[in-house]
Amino acid sequence: MLQSEFISNFCERPSRFAWFLGAGTSRTAGLPTAGDVIWDLKRRYYRLEQDRDVSPQDMQNEAVRARIQAFLDSQGFPPLWADEEYTTYFEKIFGDDRERQRSYLKGLLSEDKVTLSVGNRVLGGLMSAGLTRAVFTTNFDSVVEKAVAEVGGASLQAYSLEGTGSALNAIQNEEFPFYCKLHGDFRFESLKNLSIDLATQNENLSKALLAAGSRFGLVVAGYSGRDASVMSLLSKALEAATPFPHGLYWTGLNGSSSHPAVESLLDKARAAGVKAEYVEIETFDALMSRIWRNIDGRPAAIDAKVRKARISSVNIPLPRAGEKKPILRLNALPIALPDRCLQLDLNEIMDWRNLRAVIADYRRDIVITKAESVCCWGEEANIRQAFGKRLKGVTETTVPPDFHSGENLHYKAFFEEAITLSLAVGKPLIPRVKPSAGFLIADAHAVDIGALASLQRVVGKVSGSIPGLFSPIDDDHPKAEPVSWAEALRLSLDAKDGRTWLLLEPDVWIWPPHARKVATEFLGQRKSKRFNGTHNQLLNAWTEIALGTTERNVTLEIRPFSSGTATENPTFRIGSRTAFAMRAAR
């Protein structure tokens, strides 16, 4: 289901929906997710066993994480991201000492570490205004209680493993707002965070959720669906006479895949006659902000506290441009973006996974993005051939220029992919696109690599293999492969001072990509001596290669495809001289 359709359904009568929250909703308040906790437990175990000083800040370094993971793999620990990781490391660090577990979680989740985000404040506002009556969570923290206190000025009693007997009565007697922590509260002794604990849910809390499931629709946010006990409980709710009478809506981030257990639950719900939908969202904060804006009759006092930040005009004059020689060269080229694209009218709602599958054979011919609607570039004939009967029609639409704003961020990757394809045309370069940037990679198998001569003069070989190194094995990659490398250029867009810039960052690509985490030593050696002088030469070489010219201060027009109308085959106008910082005038 489109996010806009879900928001419309929800905002018509928000009080008919309960919420189920996972760790993703608390992360926006600055608290760690289960994944963050796992890495911290790994750090503690590695530090203890290897007698190494590793700080929490060190864990932001990919090379440090790779070294720790390699040690743990050698000790026979579960593979990275295996479901049993959480339990294994908790037991290794704390054994069965529940007091130490509770003390550890208290240090991570204490209220003084909570900084409420807009999504948390909106939920607090919905509960304080009586627009949301019931909230369930697997979280241990106090984010929801703090949100209600800050926005509504009232205290919120959470039902948890301590004193569960009245939870069902509270639902049946309409003692709203109702808030239930299925896995406990870190402030109390009772917690359920290990596999043996999570095998079953507390009976009284379970009955409260089942009762709510027969009365409300349910919106799930920030939760992966990996707890078998929780998924079993939600599945059991579908056996009631009137399960989730106002629908079951599971939200997930754009471009991310849902857990098989989630898909199974939604299928079972549909079979039971429940309106069950998966809704892609940008972030929890973005979703909640849109919901709040679309609710009529918001209490003014609560609205003022939810909308804590308000837009105001700010005018900070910049110093006059300097006239002396440049003191710093930047890695940004000026670029003008197209303002038109095609919009697709589809017979069915398609998520990112299905869209990628449809255009899998047209990745060099079609560039696509998705939010409320599906937009793309490419010849209409190719588009119609790729989508077939799924496509009702194709129209032209405007592309918003402010790709950096929150609601338009999906256009940033849209632009970057088209730019990457445009710059690769007719060159011994392989275009690749990630959600954060595009990459141009030296093609080791190209027949003619003469166009890479300027790069070879700076770095020597532009590609090769890493002797003795093989890619790691996991569920998605069951076979180890030899690891190779190639010089690459990272491309990303930014907007500064009212202008759009294309950022060029020389890099080294690793094949296969998932082996990058084991190639950190090679990457460090390869890039260790690329200081200012060499970096400047690299920037010159890549600019010449990507733009196909040695001329300075000229504007070039580039397009991703060989043919098509102006709307099908967009034009990017890019300058060949990088920006410079000038000495400020005094």
Side-chain angles (χ1 to χ4, degrees), residues 26 31 109 139-145 179 181 186-187:
S26 291
L31 295 182
L109 306 175
N139 299 340
F140 306 125
D141 56 64
S142 58
V143 171
V144 175
E145 296 101 306
Y179 180 44
K181 295 182 177 182
F186 73 84
R187 290 167 292 192

Side-chain angles (χ1 to χ4, degrees), residues 22-33 115 120 137 139 141 143-144 284:
T25 62
S26 291
R27 187 170 200 174
T28 63
L31 295 182
T33 64
T115 303
N120 307 134
T137 186
N139 299 340
D141 56 64
V143 171
V144 175
F284 176 66

Side-chain angles (χ1 to χ4, degrees), residues 422-554:
S422 300
L423 293 175
V425 171
K427 306 181 184 80
L429 300 173
I430 300 171
R432 287 290 183 270
V433 178
K434 293 185 176 183
S436 59
F439 289 83
L440 294 174
I441 307 163
D443 186 356
H445 303 291
V447 176
D448 181 9
I449 61 170
L452 304 180
S454 57
L455 180 62
Q456 289 175 315
R457 286 194 291 268
V458 180
V459 299
K461 289 180 61 178
V462 297
S463 63
S465 60
I466 306 177
L469 190 64
F470 291 85
S471 62
I473 296 174
D474 55 35
D475 291 341
D476 296 323
H477 309 92
K479 183 179 178 181
E481 301 176 60
V483 179
S484 57
W485 62 274
E487 291 292 328
L489 181 68
R490 184 180 190 273
L491 306 169
S492 60
L493 288 174
D494 203 353
K496 296 293 181 184
D497 295 336
R499 301 181 67 184
T500 303
W501 302 91
L502 179 64
L503 306 185
L504 312 180
E505 301 177 54
D507 200 353
V508 177
W509 187 267
I510 297 295
W511 302 95
H514 75 279
R516 192 175 185 90
K517 60 188 176 184
V518 297
T520 52
E521 184 176 353
F522 168 82
L523 290 170
Q525 294 174 351
R526 181 77 187 171
K527 298 192 289 186
S528 62
K529 297 182 180 179
R530 296 182 178 182
F531 300 117
N532 288 353
T534 302
H535 191 272
N536 184 61
Q537 293 174 353
L538 270 175
L539 199 54
N540 284 339
W542 271 117
T543 302
E544 176 185 329
I545 293 167
L547 300 186
T549 182
T550 58
E551 292 187 71
R552 299 294 181 191
N553 205 23
V554 296

